[in-house]
Amino acid sequence: ENYPSPVTVPPFELSGHKSEPGELSVHIFVQTFHKDKFAMLPFLESVATFWPQQWNSTVFLAVDETVGDREFCASIEDAHVKCIYTPAIRRVKSLVDSIEFSGRKASRRYREELLQYHYYLADLYIADLGYSTPDWLALFDSDVVLHTHHIPDLLFVKDRAVLHGRD
């Protein structure tokens, strides 16, 4: 079989911000909502315990403009956690709906909105709040818990980010 030739992609350079050598700025972005509180609180505790302090990170929680989400955000007393109230981005029905086609069960919220699109817009949401552009933006699911002090070694190899995920 003929496979396409591998392509070398140059590193993405962020405009306007560059940390000093040896310093790194990494913010965290999570798409969540108030019913994920049971998972978010352990995640936030694990960030406080294991995430490198020297990265000057803020955890940004992308939530909806609902009473439940506002109450959830108000209950978080960590100064390094900020909520971003994102607009609803409605999914358009198509002939083949990827969620229905996959056979997965999904919440009404997940079926009706393009929640993952907010990850694409994360840096813009953060800039709108007046935060400087970080060197890196770590995108997490709401059901993640960090469990090691070796985060820098897991996320970076020779100052290049390592992608962890599964399909």
Side-chain angles (χ1 to χ4, degrees):
E1 292 182 42
N2 291 332
Y3 294 101
S5 301
V7 176
T8 303
V9 178
F12 177 72
E13 294 292 327
L14 293 171
S15 61
H17 178 80
K18 196 70 171 167
S19 291
E20 296 297 320
E23 293 180 12
L24 196 60
S25 170
V26 183
H27 288 320
I28 297 170
F29 187 87
V30 182
Q31 171 69 42
T32 189
F33 77 130
H34 64 280
K35 289 186 179 180
D36 283 344
K37 184 176 182 176
F38 74 95
M40 285 308 307
L41 294 181
F43 170 72
L44 294 174
E45 187 175 322
S46 74
V47 168
T49 303
F50 296 111
W51 195 257
Q53 299 279 326
Q54 68 269 22
W55 286 353
N56 300 312
S57 302
T58 299
V59 178
F60 294 95
L61 304 180
V63 296
D64 294 332
E65 255 319 322
T66 65
V67 172
D69 284 355
R70 286 205 171 272
E71 289 173 353
F72 167 56
C73 289
S75 74
I76 299 171
E77 298 178 1
D78 187 333
H80 294 96
V81 178
K82 303 293 180 205
C83 286
I84 300 173
Y85 297 96
T86 55
I89 302 174
R90 298 285 176 208
R91 294 178 85 238
V92 177
K93 286 287 187 186
S94 61
L95 289 174
V96 177
D97 186 287
S98 60
I99 293 173
E100 290 177 22
F101 184 74
S102 71
R104 292 185 303 150
K105 294 201 184 284
S107 68
R108 177 201 53 79
R109 183 172 177 264
Y110 194 82
R111 284 191 318 272
E112 293 177 2
E113 295 184 33
L114 290 171
L115 298 176
Q116 302 306 318
Y117 195 71
H118 294 298
Y119 286 110
Y120 178 70
L121 299 173
D123 59 336
L124 300 177
Y125 293 143
I126 291 168
D128 281 349
L129 292 178
Y131 286 81
S132 62
T133 304
D135 295 309
W136 295 98
L137 189 56
L139 307 176
F140 284 98
D141 281 338
S142 60
D143 60 354
V144 169
V145 175
L146 305 176
H147 54 84
T148 179
H149 287 286
H150 299 284
I151 301 286
D153 298 331
L154 292 171
L155 296 184
F156 294 94
V157 173
K158 297 181 181 177
D159 295 329
R160 298 290 305 261
V162 177
L163 176 65
H164 294 276
R166 65 184 180 115
D167 39 337

